[in-house]
Every structure is written in C-alpha cells, then in structure tokens.
Amino acid sequence: QVQLVESGGGSVQAGGSLKLSCVASRVNYGANNFMGWFRQAPGKQREGVAAISGNGGDTYYADSVKGRFAISQDNAKNTVYLLMNNLNPEDTAMYYCAAGWSIGHRWSNADTYKYWGQGTQVTVSS
C-alpha cells in the first residue's frame, strides 16, 4: 500500500524558510508519475502549491509561490522536497504531499491525485 509521510513543518517568522519532505513508500516512479504539494488554511479550499513529474523534468508552481518555493525530488530516497523561502503569514496552512499519475496540466487539481499524506503544519508569524 502506498504511504506518504510529510515532515519539516513548524513555526517561523515572516521572511524565514522551511524545507518540507515527503517520503513515499511503494510509489512506482516513472515519467508519468507526479508528486504534488498542496496546502489548506482554515476555512479555505485546498490549493495546489507545486508539483514535479516523475523524471524531474517538469515542475509546476502556483503564482503565489513562484520565485519563493522550489520543489525537487530524490528518487533514490523516494523523497520529494518543498523548499520554502521568504515565507509570509499568508503561507500559513497545513501542507500535504500527494501522488498521482498522468496528471500534466491538471497538477493543481486535488481530485487528480490518488494518494495523500497526513499533512504537516506550517505557521508563519508577522
């Protein structure tokens, strides 16, 4: 059974950085595999933050995080990372890792992902 386990969340001040990790068990990596990061703040819908294709050749970002966040993966470690720089209070949310296949331009649609982690909380204070 596929398992996704996130870590790396925490509390930081505005302008700070955090690096989230997602360890994926039993995920078949390949060109069609997509790993995504989503976030959900209280009272808001879950939104796509970033995604990366299985071969690492394609990355996708929400406009709100472009230039500040970077997604990467280490297939040998079955791990996907989300480096978050210059954090601001609007980035406060529960962050989730997700796995899917053949997603492409639908990367920000949560319904296209099959497996989800339990989430890790990120809190940014001003």
Side-chain angles (χ1 to χ4, degrees), residues 1-4 26-28 32-36 38 46 97-103 106-107 109-117:
Q1 183 174 347
V2 172
Q3 282 190 317
L4 304 177
R26 303 182 184 88
V27 171
N28 293 322
N32 293 328
N33 167 248
F34 271 72
M35 299 297 294
F38 285 74
R46 189 168 296 192
C97 175
W101 286 262
S102 301
I103 291 176
R106 299 171 298 153
W107 72 269
N109 184 342
D111 292 338
T112 61
Y113 291 81
K114 186 172 183 180
Y115 299 105
W116 291 84

Side-chain angles (χ1 to χ4, degrees), residues 2-8 19-30 33-37 51-56 59 70-83 97-99 120:
V2 172
Q3 282 190 317
L4 304 177
V5 180
E6 305 98 330
S7 62
K19 187 174 184 178
L20 307 183
S21 299
C22 172
V23 178
S25 301
R26 303 182 184 88
V27 171
N28 293 322
Y29 284 98
N33 167 248
F34 271 72
M35 299 297 294
W37 284 98
I52 188 167
S53 61
N55 59 10
T59 56
I71 189 171
S72 61
Q73 64 185 15
D74 185 337
N75 287 353
K77 296 182 178 180
N78 290 347
T79 302
V80 178
Y81 304 98
L82 185 67
L83 176 61
C97 175
T120 185

Side-chain angles (χ1 to χ4, degrees), residues 47-77:
E47 64 169 338
V49 176
I52 188 167
S53 61
N55 59 10
D58 297 307
T59 56
Y60 307 83
Y61 296 96
D63 288 343
S64 59
V65 305
K66 280 181 182 177
R68 300 189 298 123
F69 290 12
I71 189 171
S72 61
Q73 64 185 15
D74 185 337
N75 287 353
K77 296 182 178 180

